Amino acid sequence: MSGFTSGVQRYAAIVEYNGARFHGWQKQKHHNEPTIQAALEAAISKVANHPVEIACAGRTDAGVHATRQVIHFDSHAVRTEYSWLMGVNTNLPDGIALQWVSPVDGEFHARFKARARRYRYLINNSPTKQALQHDQLTWWRYPLDAERMHEAAQALIGEHDFSAFRAKDCQAKSPVKTMHHIQVKRWGNIIMLELESSAFLYHMVRNIVGVLLPIGEGHKPVEWMAEVLATRDRKQAGVTAPGEGLYFVGVDYPEQFDIPCKPYGPVLLEPVLSLV
Protein backbone atom coordinates (compact mmCIF):
# COMPACT_ATOMS: atom_id res chain seq x y z
CA MET A 1 0.00 0.00 0.00
CA SER A 2 1.46 3.36 -1.04
CA GLY A 3 1.90 6.37 1.22
CA PHE A 4 2.14 4.55 4.58
CA THR A 5 4.75 3.38 7.02
CA SER A 6 4.99 -0.32 7.70
CA GLY A 7 2.05 -1.76 9.59
CA VAL A 8 -0.48 1.00 8.81
CA GLN A 9 -3.42 0.05 6.61
CA ARG A 10 -6.09 2.22 5.03
CA TYR A 11 -9.67 0.94 5.08
CA ALA A 12 -12.74 2.08 3.18
CA ALA A 13 -16.25 1.52 4.50
CA ILE A 14 -19.83 2.13 3.38
CA VAL A 15 -22.16 3.54 6.01
CA GLU A 16 -25.93 3.76 6.23
CA TYR A 17 -27.62 6.07 8.70
CA ASN A 18 -30.87 7.69 9.76
CA GLY A 19 -29.99 11.35 10.07
CA ALA A 20 -33.08 12.17 12.12
CA ARG A 21 -31.31 10.80 15.20
CA PHE A 22 -28.23 13.00 14.83
CA HIS A 23 -27.12 16.62 14.61
CA GLY A 24 -25.59 16.22 11.17
CA TRP A 25 -22.40 14.51 10.03
CA GLN A 26 -19.61 16.67 11.42
CA LYS A 27 -18.52 16.26 15.02
CA GLN A 28 -18.84 19.35 17.17
CA LYS A 29 -15.93 20.65 19.26
CA HIS A 30 -17.97 22.73 21.67
CA HIS A 31 -21.37 21.02 21.68
CA ASN A 32 -22.69 17.73 23.00
CA GLU A 33 -25.22 16.97 20.26
CA PRO A 34 -24.72 13.48 18.77
CA THR A 35 -23.22 13.40 15.26
CA ILE A 36 -22.55 10.65 12.74
CA GLN A 37 -18.81 11.30 12.61
CA ALA A 38 -18.37 11.25 16.37
CA ALA A 39 -20.29 7.99 16.74
CA LEU A 40 -18.32 6.28 13.98
CA GLU A 41 -14.94 7.43 15.26
CA ALA A 42 -15.76 6.23 18.77
CA ALA A 43 -16.90 2.80 17.54
CA ILE A 44 -13.97 2.28 15.13
CA SER A 45 -11.47 3.47 17.76
CA LYS A 46 -12.83 0.93 20.23
CA VAL A 47 -12.38 -1.94 17.79
CA ALA A 48 -8.94 -0.69 16.70
CA ASN A 49 -7.89 -0.08 20.32
CA HIS A 50 -6.39 3.28 19.35
CA PRO A 51 -7.80 6.70 18.34
CA VAL A 52 -9.10 6.79 14.76
CA GLU A 53 -10.15 9.74 12.63
CA ILE A 54 -12.32 9.31 9.54
CA ALA A 55 -12.99 11.22 6.32
CA CYS A 56 -16.21 10.96 4.30
CA ALA A 57 -17.27 11.43 0.69
CA GLY A 58 -19.71 14.21 1.51
CA ARG A 59 -20.87 15.76 4.78
CA THR A 60 -24.62 15.73 5.38
CA ASP A 61 -26.75 18.17 7.35
CA ALA A 62 -28.96 17.47 10.36
CA GLY A 63 -31.89 15.24 9.46
CA VAL A 64 -30.35 14.01 6.19
CA HIS A 65 -29.93 10.25 5.68
CA ALA A 66 -27.45 8.04 3.83
CA THR A 67 -27.55 4.60 2.26
CA ARG A 68 -24.12 4.72 0.59
CA GLN A 69 -21.95 7.18 2.50
CA VAL A 70 -18.27 6.29 2.00
CA ILE A 71 -15.58 6.81 4.64
CA HIS A 72 -11.94 5.86 5.07
CA PHE A 73 -9.71 5.44 8.11
CA ASP A 74 -6.17 4.26 8.90
CA SER A 75 -5.20 1.66 11.48
CA HIS A 76 -2.29 -0.54 12.50
CA ALA A 77 -4.69 -2.94 14.22
CA VAL A 78 -4.84 -6.39 12.64
CA ARG A 79 -8.51 -7.29 12.12
CA THR A 80 -10.39 -9.27 9.49
CA GLU A 81 -13.01 -7.51 7.40
CA TYR A 82 -15.68 -9.46 9.28
CA SER A 83 -14.24 -8.39 12.62
CA TRP A 84 -14.21 -4.74 11.61
CA LEU A 85 -17.78 -4.92 10.31
CA MET A 86 -19.32 -6.77 13.24
CA GLY A 87 -17.19 -5.10 15.89
CA VAL A 88 -17.91 -1.57 14.74
CA ASN A 89 -21.63 -2.23 14.29
CA THR A 90 -21.84 -3.70 17.80
CA ASN A 91 -20.49 -0.42 19.18
CA LEU A 92 -22.57 1.95 17.06
CA PRO A 93 -25.82 3.51 18.30
CA ASP A 94 -29.13 2.67 16.65
CA GLY A 95 -29.49 4.54 13.38
CA ILE A 96 -25.94 3.97 12.07
CA ALA A 97 -24.52 0.77 10.54
CA LEU A 98 -21.56 -0.19 8.39
CA GLN A 99 -22.64 -2.10 5.28
CA TRP A 100 -19.17 -2.99 3.97
CA VAL A 101 -15.51 -2.54 4.95
CA SER A 102 -12.30 -3.54 3.19
CA PRO A 103 -8.60 -2.62 3.03
CA VAL A 104 -7.77 -0.25 0.17
CA ASP A 105 -4.72 1.33 -1.40
CA GLY A 106 -3.22 4.15 0.63
CA GLU A 107 -3.88 6.58 -2.24
CA PHE A 108 -7.64 6.21 -1.77
CA HIS A 109 -9.39 9.18 -0.19
CA ALA A 110 -13.15 9.10 0.38
CA ARG A 111 -13.58 12.77 -0.49
CA PHE A 112 -10.80 13.75 -2.87
CA LYS A 113 -10.97 10.65 -5.08
CA ALA A 114 -14.73 10.95 -5.58
CA ARG A 115 -15.70 11.96 -9.12
CA ALA A 116 -19.40 12.46 -8.39
CA ARG A 117 -21.99 12.11 -5.64
CA ARG A 118 -25.63 11.11 -5.97
CA TYR A 119 -28.61 12.11 -3.84
CA ARG A 120 -32.27 11.14 -3.83
CA TYR A 121 -35.04 13.29 -2.38
CA LEU A 122 -38.34 11.57 -1.52
CA ILE A 123 -41.68 13.34 -1.20
CA ASN A 124 -44.90 11.84 0.10
CA ASN A 125 -47.34 13.79 -2.06
CA SER A 126 -50.49 12.90 -0.17
CA PRO A 127 -53.36 14.96 1.33
CA THR A 128 -52.62 13.51 4.76
CA LYS A 129 -49.35 13.27 6.66
CA GLN A 130 -47.79 9.85 7.20
CA ALA A 131 -47.33 8.49 10.73
CA LEU A 132 -44.79 5.84 9.73
CA GLN A 133 -41.45 6.97 8.26
CA HIS A 134 -42.40 10.55 9.12
CA ASP A 135 -38.71 11.42 9.50
CA GLN A 136 -37.67 9.68 6.25
CA LEU A 137 -40.04 11.28 3.74
CA THR A 138 -40.93 14.92 3.18
CA TRP A 139 -44.70 15.38 3.25
CA TRP A 140 -46.22 17.78 0.71
CA ARG A 141 -50.00 18.00 0.81
CA TYR A 142 -50.58 19.98 -2.40
CA PRO A 143 -50.78 18.08 -5.71
CA LEU A 144 -47.51 18.07 -7.65
CA ASP A 145 -46.95 17.47 -11.38
CA ALA A 146 -43.79 15.35 -11.52
CA GLU A 147 -43.49 15.73 -15.30
CA ARG A 148 -43.36 19.53 -15.01
CA MET A 149 -40.78 19.22 -12.25
CA HIS A 150 -38.66 16.88 -14.37
CA GLU A 151 -38.80 19.22 -17.36
CA ALA A 152 -37.77 22.19 -15.24
CA ALA A 153 -34.91 20.28 -13.60
CA GLN A 154 -33.21 19.65 -16.95
CA ALA A 155 -32.08 23.28 -16.97
CA LEU A 156 -29.52 22.31 -14.33
CA ILE A 157 -27.69 19.72 -16.47
CA GLY A 158 -24.10 20.66 -17.25
CA GLU A 159 -21.57 22.99 -15.66
CA HIS A 160 -23.12 26.01 -13.94
CA ASP A 161 -22.61 28.55 -11.20
CA PHE A 162 -25.09 27.26 -8.60
CA SER A 163 -24.93 30.34 -6.34
CA ALA A 164 -28.73 30.68 -6.48
CA PHE A 165 -28.98 27.35 -4.64
CA ARG A 166 -26.13 27.95 -2.19
CA ALA A 167 -26.77 28.53 1.52
CA LYS A 168 -25.05 31.56 3.03
CA ASP A 169 -22.95 29.38 5.37
CA CYS A 170 -21.52 27.31 2.49
CA GLN A 171 -17.73 26.97 2.72
CA ALA A 172 -17.11 25.60 -0.78
CA LYS A 173 -14.31 27.39 -2.62
CA SER A 174 -16.34 27.67 -5.83
CA PRO A 175 -20.09 27.63 -6.64
CA VAL A 176 -19.37 26.11 -10.06
CA LYS A 177 -20.36 22.45 -10.22
CA THR A 178 -21.24 20.00 -13.00
CA MET A 179 -24.66 18.33 -12.85
CA HIS A 180 -24.38 14.96 -14.61
CA HIS A 181 -27.89 13.62 -14.09
CA ILE A 182 -31.20 14.83 -12.71
CA GLN A 183 -34.68 13.34 -12.94
CA VAL A 184 -38.05 13.44 -11.22
CA LYS A 185 -40.30 10.36 -11.11
CA ARG A 186 -43.57 9.45 -9.44
CA TRP A 187 -44.81 6.10 -8.10
CA GLY A 188 -48.23 6.48 -6.53
CA ASN A 189 -47.93 9.12 -3.83
CA ILE A 190 -44.12 8.97 -3.81
CA ILE A 191 -42.13 11.46 -5.89
CA MET A 192 -38.37 11.00 -6.20
CA LEU A 193 -35.87 13.61 -7.30
CA GLU A 194 -32.50 12.03 -8.19
CA LEU A 195 -29.39 14.14 -8.79
CA GLU A 196 -25.77 13.34 -9.57
CA SER A 197 -23.17 16.11 -9.58
CA SER A 198 -19.41 16.50 -9.36
CA ALA A 199 -20.06 17.93 -5.89
CA PHE A 200 -22.84 19.71 -4.01
CA LEU A 201 -22.98 23.05 -2.23
CA TYR A 202 -24.43 23.43 1.26
CA HIS A 203 -28.23 23.00 1.04
CA MET A 204 -27.99 22.81 -2.77
CA VAL A 205 -30.37 19.87 -3.20
CA ARG A 206 -32.90 21.19 -0.70
CA ASN A 207 -32.87 24.60 -2.39
CA ILE A 208 -33.38 22.99 -5.81
CA VAL A 209 -36.39 21.17 -4.37
CA GLY A 210 -37.62 24.52 -3.04
CA VAL A 211 -37.77 25.80 -6.62
CA LEU A 212 -39.32 22.62 -8.04
CA LEU A 213 -42.21 22.54 -5.56
CA PRO A 214 -44.01 25.70 -6.80
CA ILE A 215 -43.32 24.60 -10.38
CA GLY A 216 -44.93 21.24 -9.60
CA GLU A 217 -47.90 22.98 -8.03
CA GLY A 218 -48.33 25.13 -11.15
CA HIS A 219 -47.70 28.42 -9.34
CA LYS A 220 -44.48 29.00 -11.29
CA PRO A 221 -43.70 28.25 -14.95
CA VAL A 222 -41.30 25.49 -15.98
CA GLU A 223 -38.88 28.19 -17.16
CA TRP A 224 -38.52 29.56 -13.63
CA MET A 225 -35.77 27.05 -12.80
CA ALA A 226 -33.53 28.35 -15.58
CA GLU A 227 -34.33 31.93 -14.62
CA VAL A 228 -33.38 31.35 -10.98
CA LEU A 229 -30.15 29.60 -11.99
CA ALA A 230 -29.17 32.54 -14.21
CA THR A 231 -29.59 35.09 -11.40
CA ARG A 232 -26.87 33.46 -9.24
CA ASP A 233 -28.80 35.03 -6.36
CA ARG A 234 -30.09 32.88 -3.50
CA LYS A 235 -32.75 35.50 -2.70
CA GLN A 236 -34.42 34.84 -6.06
CA ALA A 237 -34.99 31.13 -5.37
CA GLY A 238 -37.59 29.39 -3.23
CA VAL A 239 -37.65 27.97 0.27
CA THR A 240 -35.15 25.45 1.62
CA ALA A 241 -37.03 22.14 1.58
CA PRO A 242 -36.98 19.96 4.73
CA GLY A 243 -34.06 17.59 5.24
CA GLU A 244 -35.97 14.45 6.17
CA GLY A 245 -36.60 13.41 2.55
CA LEU A 246 -32.96 13.66 1.50
CA TYR A 247 -30.64 10.64 1.09
CA PHE A 248 -26.96 10.39 0.13
CA VAL A 249 -27.13 7.27 -2.05
CA GLY A 250 -23.91 6.78 -4.00
CA VAL A 251 -20.41 7.91 -4.94
CA ASP A 252 -18.51 7.43 -8.19
CA TYR A 253 -14.83 6.49 -7.81
CA PRO A 254 -12.19 5.35 -10.31
CA GLU A 255 -12.54 1.60 -10.92
CA GLN A 256 -9.05 0.92 -9.56
CA PHE A 257 -10.31 1.36 -5.99
CA ASP A 258 -13.15 -1.16 -6.38
CA ILE A 259 -15.56 0.57 -3.97
CA PRO A 260 -19.04 -1.07 -4.27
CA CYS A 261 -21.10 2.09 -3.94
CA LYS A 262 -23.45 2.15 -6.91
CA PRO A 263 -26.53 4.27 -6.13
CA TYR A 264 -28.84 2.37 -3.81
CA GLY A 265 -31.78 2.95 -1.54
CA PRO A 266 -33.52 3.68 0.53
CA VAL A 267 -34.68 0.09 0.91
CA LEU A 268 -38.37 1.03 0.66
CA LEU A 269 -37.75 2.28 -2.90
CA GLU A 270 -35.62 -0.58 -4.27
CA PRO A 271 -38.49 -2.91 -5.33
CA VAL A 272 -39.90 -0.05 -7.42
CA LEU A 273 -36.57 1.01 -8.90
CA SER A 274 -35.82 -2.56 -9.96
CA LEU A 275 -38.82 -2.43 -12.30
CA VAL A 276 -37.66 0.64 -14.25
Side-chain angles (χ1 to χ4, degrees):
M1 298 297 170
S2 60
F4 287 98
T5 58
S6 177
V8 177
Q9 174 66 59
R10 176 154 292 183
Y11 293 88
I14 293 175
V15 188
E16 179 177 282
Y17 51 83
N18 182 336
R21 296 173 173 263
F22 302 92
H23 197 71
W25 167 269
Q26 191 168 8
K27 61 183 177 183
Q28 308 293 320
K29 293 182 179 179
H30 306 294
H31 302 281
N32 294 322
E33 291 93 343
T35 68
I36 308 295
Q37 182 182 9
L40 281 165
E41 288 186 347
I44 296 171
S45 296
K46 188 168 184 178
V47 176
N49 201 29
H50 66 78
V52 170
E53 294 185 352
I54 63 176
C56 72
R59 291 177 294 183
T60 52
D61 198 13
V64 178
H65 318 293
T67 59
R68 285 289 186 270
Q69 176 68 271
V70 179
I71 66 170
H72 80 257
F73 64 93
D74 301 330
S75 177
H76 55 71
V78 179
R79 307 282 187 269
T80 65
E81 294 176 23
Y82 181 81
S83 295
W84 280 117
L85 187 67
M86 300 307 292
V88 172
N89 280 343
T90 297
N91 288 283
L92 283 171
D94 290 342
I96 311 177
L98 295 189
Q99 303 297 305
W100 172 88
V101 62
S102 181
V104 292
D105 190 276
E107 293 183 355
F108 175 77
H109 192 287
R111 177 185 175 190
F112 297 124
K113 292 299 183 180
R115 298 184 296 197
R117 290 90 171 158
R118 186 172 292 220
Y119 281 87
R120 288 172 179 163
Y121 192 93
L122 301 184
I123 301 170
N124 175 24
N125 189 209
S126 170
T128 55
K129 186 175 183 178
Q130 72 274 14
L132 302 179
Q133 299 172 333
H134 63 91
D135 57 1
Q136 297 174 53
L137 296 168
T138 290
W139 172 54
W140 200 258
R141 74 179 75 180
Y142 308 107
L144 295 171
D145 186 329
E147 293 183 0
R148 279 174 56 87
M149 295 167 72
H150 176 78
E151 183 180 354
Q154 302 315 298
L156 303 180
I157 292 290
E159 182 180 85
H160 300 285
D161 182 328
F162 283 93
S163 293
F165 306 99
R166 180 181 190 174
K168 65 178 181 179
D169 296 329
C170 181
Q171 299 178 358
K173 293 181 180 180
S174 171
V176 177
K177 306 298 176 187
T178 302
M179 187 72 70
H180 301 148
H181 162 88
I182 186 166
Q183 66 173 341
V184 181
K185 289 187 175 183
R186 173 189 283 275
W187 298 276
N189 288 335
I190 302 298
I191 292 177
M192 179 189 75
L193 168 66
E194 184 176 62
L195 317 89
E196 181 180 290
S197 178
S198 57
F200 288 86
L201 303 169
Y202 185 45
H203 284 176
M204 179 172 158
V205 176
R206 293 166 61 184
N207 290 335
I208 289 173
V209 175
V211 171
L212 288 175
L213 289 171
I215 292 175
E217 290 178 352
H219 298 319
K220 291 286 188 179
V222 168
E223 295 76 19
W224 190 49
M225 176 64 80
E227 294 170 2
V228 169
L229 177 67
T231 68
R232 302 180 182 179
D233 182 0
R234 175 70 188 96
K235 295 179 181 179
Q236 303 304 313
V239 301
T240 299
E244 57 258 29
L246 184 56
Y247 293 79
F248 187 108
V249 299
V251 193
D252 179 36
Y253 291 106
E255 293 182 2
Q256 70 190 76
F257 297 117
D258 198 25
I259 309 296
C261 54
K262 296 290 185 181
Y264 176 87
V267 172
L268 64 92
L269 203 60
E270 284 307 307
V272 177
L273 290 173
S274 67
L275 299 176
V276 298

